[in-house]
Amino acid sequence: MPNQKPTSLFFSISLFSLSLLSIPTFTTPKSTIEPCSNTYSCDAMVGYTLYTDLKVSEVATLFGIDPVSLLTANSIDISYPDVENHILPSKLFLKVPITCSCVDGIRKSVATRYKTRPSDTLSTIADSVYGGLVSSNQLQEANSISDPSVLDVGQTLVVPLPCTCFNGTDNSLPAVYLSYVVKDVDTLAGIAASYSTTLSDLQNVNAMGSTAISPGDILAVPLSACASNFPRYASDYGLIVPNGSYAITASHCVQCSCGPGSRNLYCMPASLAVSCSSMQCRGSNLMLGNVTMQQSSAGCNVTSCSYSGFVNGTIITTLSASLQPRCPGPQQLPPLTAPPTTVAKESMYAPSPAPSESGGPGARVPSSAIVPSSGSLPGFTPASGPSSSIPGNVASSCSLVHPLPTFQLAVALGMLVKFMLYFSF
């Protein structure tokens, strides 16, 4: 009778191969990092989904920022009474402004602090409270915690948040970078469409070899923006405002905006302005944000009073005059929305809409003031950044591919050895 061992062995190896396919794979979330070697910091954003109902002031405290900055970054009207105590609904998606610094050779924000509460664990803080923007391992390392199972109530933790600067540009145009946590239903194409960018741009910025993404991955998403040109000695030097949103500066005295589809920063007195230095341009009766136009046979004479930074408590204004072929239309300001009280079902499972699409019911447009980086960390993908943003030798490209975990592979190989030993006798 013919020996059946080869057939049995072949059959067993086939079963082994099928077992490999059936082993569940557990992916490790990836995050895009930017290597750095200087002290330069920039304005950046993180995308955050509320894990429960929270007041505006509570969300601001969670990230260590000014509540007004949170509201203006999301084009929420700050003129509503007691708006800082307005309760925002669970599952609401917000863009949170943060300062991105260079720490230990990579870009991240380390200004956020969290005070622990009863029943907190590093995992719940990372995954629930901060929505996956940080991992429990990162919290443990940043706070030198030897035993993660022991947290003292009231203990203050440093929360390192992901961020990128890439010189404040994307394809040589002003941009602010949003750190976005991928959801179950997301596709790279959908994220690109939501933020008015392209698949190739997202792949380039995040050093991706394919369009594959997994829940929990953190992508750097470039947001078109309006950049300032303030002098270096101004306290708000480097101010940059994402398209379709606002920023408050000069001790809450000045409000700057970046209109839909615009690249020009427009600043005017803020609605919160109480005790502020003069905002009148010298040698004229024009106030900050005012523009006069006069048509002539040669064209349109335009005179404007613009904002040039906040220096030693003083608002700097600049009077400029120019002759333009035609008179410009009214200043286009981003629509303001009322503080949200509910979340539309579809917005719970999709990225925040691009700023240019953020208008709609309840939106209000303010009146304009017209007067007739090298290396990588474990679990992170080194970013190449947008074109011409950092030297090619600083970062290398790496696809967001998740290999079979080592432990599972070892188990599978052990099964194969056992099969082979059995059929060799």
Side-chain angles (χ1 to χ4, degrees):
M1 184 175 185
N3 193 337
Q4 297 297 316
K5 285 185 179 180
T7 304
S8 300
L9 179 59
F10 175 78
F11 177 71
S12 299
I13 292 177
S14 299
L15 285 178
F16 164 75
S17 301
L18 289 175
S19 68
L20 273 181
L21 296 175
S22 65
I23 295 176
T25 58
F26 300 95
T27 60
T28 301
K30 305 292 188 223
S31 178
T32 297
I33 66 170
E34 177 190 1
C36 59
S37 58
N38 53 45
T39 57
Y40 163 75
S41 61
C42 73
D43 294 330
M45 289 184 158
V46 293
Y48 178 64
T49 301
L50 272 66
Y51 69 103
T52 187
D53 292 353
L54 292 172
K55 293 180 182 178
V56 171
S57 58
E58 288 179 308
V59 179
T61 299
L62 204 58
F63 290 91
I65 63 172
D66 181 3
V68 174
S69 298
L70 176 67
L71 294 168
T72 54
N74 292 276
S75 298
I76 297 174
D77 198 339
I78 59 176
S79 66
Y80 274 71
D82 199 27
V83 68
E84 293 184 8
N85 285 316
H86 176 80
I87 298 176
L88 300 170
S90 176
K91 303 300 182 183
L92 178 68
F93 182 90
L94 294 171
K95 297 186 290 290
V96 180
I98 58 173
T99 298
C100 189
S101 305
C102 184
V103 182
D104 300 328
I106 66 168
R107 292 286 180 196
K108 58 183 170 182
S109 175
V110 291
T112 298
R113 300 290 185 272
Y114 177 80
K115 185 171 288 188
T116 58
R117 301 169 297 185
S119 77
D120 271 342
T121 66
L122 292 184
S123 294
T124 58
I125 295 170
D127 300 332
S128 179
V129 178
Y130 285 96
L133 286 167
V134 65
S135 70
S136 57
N137 288 338
Q138 290 169 332
L139 286 175
Q140 183 177 353
E141 181 181 354
N143 295 278
S144 302
I145 297 174
S146 56
D147 185 358
S149 65
V150 179
L151 286 180
D152 296 328
V153 176
Q155 181 178 352
T156 299
L157 301 178
V158 175
V159 182
L161 297 173
C163 62
T164 52
C165 294
F166 294 130
N167 295 329
T169 62
D170 178 43
N171 297 314
S172 301
L173 294 174
V176 172
Y177 285 85
L178 171 79
S179 294
Y180 178 80
V181 181
V182 175
K183 301 179 179 66
D184 292 342
V185 296
D186 280 334
T187 64
L188 198 64
I191 296 171
S194 293
Y195 291 101
S196 300
T197 188
T198 63
L199 268 175
S200 60
D201 196 20
L202 282 183
Q203 287 183 265
N204 180 40
V205 168
N206 293 279
M208 299 171 65
S210 74
T211 59
I213 54 176
S214 298
D217 288 346
I218 302 177
L219 302 177
V221 180
L223 306 178
S224 174
C226 299
S228 62
N229 191 27
F230 305 154
R232 286 186 175 272
Y233 51 81
S235 61
D236 47 5
Y237 169 75
L239 178 68
I240 184 168
V241 182
N243 210 251
S245 64
Y246 294 80
I248 294 289
T249 186
S251 295
H252 287 183
C253 290
V254 176
Q255 174 178 286
C256 297
S257 64
C258 183
S262 175
R263 292 286 181 182
N264 299 315
L265 191 67
Y266 175 74
C267 301
M268 59 188 292
S271 60
L272 298 177
V274 179
S275 178
C276 306
S277 65
S278 174
M279 296 190 216
Q280 184 173 348
C281 274
R282 290 183 180 180
S284 77
N285 60 353
L286 295 183
M287 299 293 293
L288 176 63
N290 287 167
V291 179
T292 61
M293 294 171 286
Q294 185 175 4
Q295 188 70 52
S296 68
S297 57
C300 184
N301 293 297
V302 180
T303 304
S304 61
C305 179
S306 56
Y307 178 64
S308 296
F310 194 54
V311 180
N312 297 326
T314 300
I315 295 171
I316 308 300
T317 56
T318 301
L319 185 68
S320 60
S322 63
L323 179 64
Q324 300 182 15
R326 60 181 63 85
C327 290
Q331 180 68 39
Q332 296 297 312
L333 299 178
L336 289 175
T337 59
T341 56
T342 59
V343 178
K345 184 176 180 181
E346 59 271 16
S347 68
M348 294 170 58
Y349 304 102
S352 174
S356 60
E357 302 168 353
S358 61
R364 181 177 73 83
V365 179
S367 57
S368 59
I370 294 183
V371 180
S373 326
S374 65
S376 63
L377 295 181
F380 289 79
T381 300
S384 64
S387 61
S388 304
S389 63
I390 57 176
N393 61 347
V394 172
S396 59
S397 196
C398 180
S399 160
L400 291 179
V401 173
H402 308 280
L404 191 67
T406 305
F407 174 75
Q408 292 171 279
L409 186 57
V411 172
L413 289 174
M415 293 169 58
L416 176 59
V417 171
K418 186 175 180 180
F419 277 128
M420 294 182 70
L421 289 174
Y422 174 78
F423 285 104
S424 64
F425 298 102

